Amino acid sequence: MARSTFKVLFYVNGSKEKNGIVPIMGRVTINGTVAQFSCKQSVPKTLWDIKGNRAKGKSKEARDINLALDNIKAQIIKHYQRIFDRENEVFKKRVGKDRVMATYHSRVRARNHVAAFIKSFYRRTDMSMLEITPDFIKEFAAYLSTEAGLHNGTIWEKCMWLKGVVMRAHFNGLIPRNPFAQFHISPNVKEREYLTEDELKALMTHEFGDAKLSYIRDIFVFASFTALSFVDIKELTYDNIVEVNGEKWILSKRHKTKVPFQVKLLDIPLQIIERYRPLQEDNLVFPNLNYWSICKPLKKVMKECGITKDISFHCARHGFATLALSMGMPIESVSRVLGHTNIVTTQIYAKITTQKLDSDLTLFGNRLNQSFNNVSMAGQ
């Protein structure tokens, strides 16, 4: 594989020697393109190491010159690194407005994976954006799988962050071509787990000996009937619950995307709200919720109910979407309840069950039979 090149070296301009003193020049080479500049430093010609590209010895003069050259080289490298960091700095300013801190941390991890790959594969601390080639991207994806030990979905996520940075650099004229143009990687999204109707009923009717597990079960069931994410439940206040035509509704905005959503409170979530009303604080429906204190024991809750699936708290939203579609709710309505901006996202969340597919095909077959009842196939 022909690798791209990025080099910074220093040399002296012997043609401008004066009284045995020569000026120090710098040269940056990127893929064969050379840029030269003055380092604004001078050195006695006898003190310069031509092969080492720096001053010889450990005298104070040599140390000072070499320190200045190291600083120049560091600034050049930092210039190329800055575009990655600037992307995340801009993103961080949007946290709390239309972005969340968790996504910012994910982007920082992606940036750190790129830095670790460059250090591991190229034995360097940084590279120019001009050095990012299709081969670089392929090797990066392979590194994430082998050395970093990431799964395919996470590899896709990290590559998509890098792709976004590189494409914006290309769009802004910082690099002449887009190395991602011919690159493709599929996230291979795994099947979303969810509770079936029978499993949800088993969870709801189980008698727990531990009050904490009973509380965790209630919060999960509430999410299963409202499609709220954990953070949206945590931030849910009584002000978000309004009466519309004699029915209770939750009207709010998703914490993650700020997209408005509305969901009717059915009997079961209303019962859960009333159960914990005496414990309310600061107008919160479920005060003092902590993600890990709820999600870690959730596996124990499922196991005690005889459910062997790997269920996370987020599976409640998947379960709602799947159950709603199975019960005949249009996907457009499901998408609105979930607060999605793109119906494709809803299609990922919701699984079309065999029962629903069988029901739809039976209905379709019955209608076809009625329409083609008097039609007979012609003989050969």
Side-chain angles (χ1 to χ4, degrees), residues 233-379:
I233 293 177
K234 181 179 179 179
E235 296 176 351
L236 182 65
T237 69
Y238 285 96
D239 292 336
N240 299 131
I241 302 174
V242 299
E243 189 168 311
V244 180
N245 298 326
E247 303 283 354
K248 297 289 187 181
W249 287 72
I250 295 176
L251 302 181
S252 188
K253 291 183 179 180
R254 288 290 315 280
H255 173 91
K256 182 178 180 179
T257 61
K258 306 304 178 186
V259 173
F261 73 90
Q262 55 192 60
V263 58
K264 183 179 179 180
L265 282 169
L266 304 177
D267 182 57
I268 291 171
L270 279 172
Q271 288 180 37
I272 295 173
I273 289 175
E274 290 305 314
R275 178 177 297 175
Y276 297 100
R277 186 181 287 273
L279 303 178
Q280 68 163 296
E281 294 179 14
D282 301 323
N283 204 36
L284 292 171
V285 177
F286 302 104
N288 303 316
L289 279 185
N290 178 273
Y291 182 80
W292 291 114
S293 65
I294 295 291
C295 295
K296 280 191 175 181
L298 185 61
K299 295 186 184 299
K300 185 176 180 180
V301 170
M302 297 299 165
K303 184 177 180 180
E304 194 167 318
C305 294
I307 298 169
T308 58
K309 294 177 179 176
D310 185 16
I311 297 295
S312 67
F313 192 89
H314 204 65
C315 291
R317 276 170 63 81
H318 297 297
F320 173 91
T322 301
L323 192 60
L325 283 181
S326 298
M327 295 293 184
M329 182 184 288
I331 194 169
E332 294 81 6
S333 298
V334 175
S335 184
R336 181 70 178 273
V337 172
L338 292 171
H340 288 161
T341 56
N342 191 330
I343 205 167
V344 173
T345 307
T346 311
Q347 291 171 334
I348 295 174
Y349 265 68
K351 181 179 177 66
I352 304 299
T353 64
T354 303
Q355 181 182 357
K356 169 65 174 171
L357 199 59
D358 178 65
S359 176
D360 289 343
L361 287 173
T362 299
L363 180 61
F364 175 66
N366 290 340
R367 289 178 178 175
L368 280 181
N369 289 338
Q370 290 177 5
S371 179
F372 289 85
N373 188 39
N374 297 321
V375 179
S376 299
M377 287 290 295

Side-chain angles (χ1 to χ4, degrees), residues 8 16 72 140 157 168 172 185 200 205 279 342 350 359 369:
V8 179
K16 294 188 178 182
I72 292 172
F140 177 57
E157 176 191 331
R168 279 185 286 277
N172 291 321
I185 183 172
L200 188 56
T205 56
L279 303 178
N342 191 330
S359 176
N369 289 338

Side-chain angles (χ1 to χ4, degrees), residues 177-207:
R177 50 174 173 50
N178 174 17
F180 272 92
Q182 303 299 322
F183 179 79
H184 175 75
I185 183 172
S186 172
N188 286 345
V189 178
K190 64 180 181 180
E191 287 285 321
R192 259 60 171 190
E193 290 282 19
Y194 67 96
L195 295 187
T196 64
E197 190 174 346
D198 289 339
E199 289 169 334
L200 188 56
K201 288 177 181 177
L203 177 65
M204 293 169 60
T205 56
H206 184 80
E207 294 288 343

Side-chain angles (χ1 to χ4, degrees), residues 46-286:
T46 56
L47 194 60
W48 186 252
D49 182 352
I50 298 177
K51 291 184 178 180
N53 299 311
R54 56 198 297 110
K56 294 183 289 187
K58 296 183 179 180
S59 66
K60 183 179 185 305
E61 184 178 13
R63 292 200 306 270
D64 289 344
I65 290 173
N66 290 335
L67 178 61
L69 297 182
D70 288 341
N71 286 335
I72 292 172
K73 186 173 183 178
Q75 288 300 316
I76 293 173
I77 292 174
K78 187 176 180 180
H79 170 76
Y80 291 113
Q81 176 185 5
R82 198 172 298 145
I83 189 168
F84 290 100
D85 293 335
R86 189 184 302 125
E87 284 280 330
N88 288 341
E89 288 169 6
V90 171
F91 186 93
K92 190 175 183 180
K93 293 178 181 178
R94 298 172 63 181
V95 171
K97 300 182 178 71
D98 58 351
R99 294 294 184 269
V100 296
M101 184 60 74
T103 308
Y104 167 73
H105 288 316
S106 176
R107 293 167 65 94
V108 171
R109 286 193 294 271
R111 182 262 181 213
N112 291 341
H113 276 302
V114 173
F117 165 67
I118 292 172
K119 187 175 182 180
S120 172
F121 195 76
Y122 292 91
R123 309 295 182 195
R124 288 158 49 186
T125 57
D126 210 343
M127 294 177 66
S128 160
M129 287 287 289
L130 294 171
E131 293 183 89
I132 298 181
T133 64
D135 283 335
F136 175 97
I137 298 165
K138 291 174 185 176
E139 295 290 353
F140 177 57
Y143 165 85
L144 293 177
S145 175
T146 54
E147 293 193 40
L150 302 183
H151 294 296
N152 201 73
T154 310
I155 294 172
W156 177 84
E157 176 191 331
K158 305 313 176 191
C159 286
M160 289 305 99
W161 172 81
L162 178 60
K163 180 179 181 179
V165 174
V166 171
M167 287 184 67
R168 279 185 286 277
H170 175 60
F171 178 79
N172 291 321
L174 299 178
I175 54 177
R177 50 174 173 50
N178 174 17
F180 272 92
Q182 303 299 322
F183 179 79
H184 175 75
I185 183 172
S186 172
N188 286 345
V189 178
K190 64 180 181 180
E191 287 285 321
R192 259 60 171 190
E193 290 282 19
Y194 67 96
L195 295 187
T196 64
E197 190 174 346
D198 289 339
E199 289 169 334
L200 188 56
K201 288 177 181 177
L203 177 65
M204 293 169 60
T205 56
H206 184 80
E207 294 288 343
F208 289 95
D210 187 336
K212 182 180 179 181
L213 296 183
S214 179
Y215 178 64
I216 293 171
R217 181 270 311 276
D218 291 348
I219 299 298
F220 185 87
V221 170
F222 184 84
S224 298
F225 279 86
T226 60
L228 268 65
S229 66
F230 181 86
V231 68
D232 290 328
I233 293 177
K234 181 179 179 179
E235 296 176 351
L236 182 65
T237 69
Y238 285 96
D239 292 336
N240 299 131
I241 302 174
V242 299
E243 189 168 311
V244 180
N245 298 326
E247 303 283 354
K248 297 289 187 181
W249 287 72
I250 295 176
L251 302 181
S252 188
K253 291 183 179 180
R254 288 290 315 280
H255 173 91
K256 182 178 180 179
T257 61
K258 306 304 178 186
V259 173
F261 73 90
Q262 55 192 60
V263 58
K264 183 179 179 180
L265 282 169
L266 304 177
D267 182 57
I268 291 171
L270 279 172
Q271 288 180 37
I272 295 173
I273 289 175
E274 290 305 314
R275 178 177 297 175
Y276 297 100
R277 186 181 287 273
L279 303 178
Q280 68 163 296
E281 294 179 14
D282 301 323
N283 204 36
L284 292 171
V285 177
F286 302 104

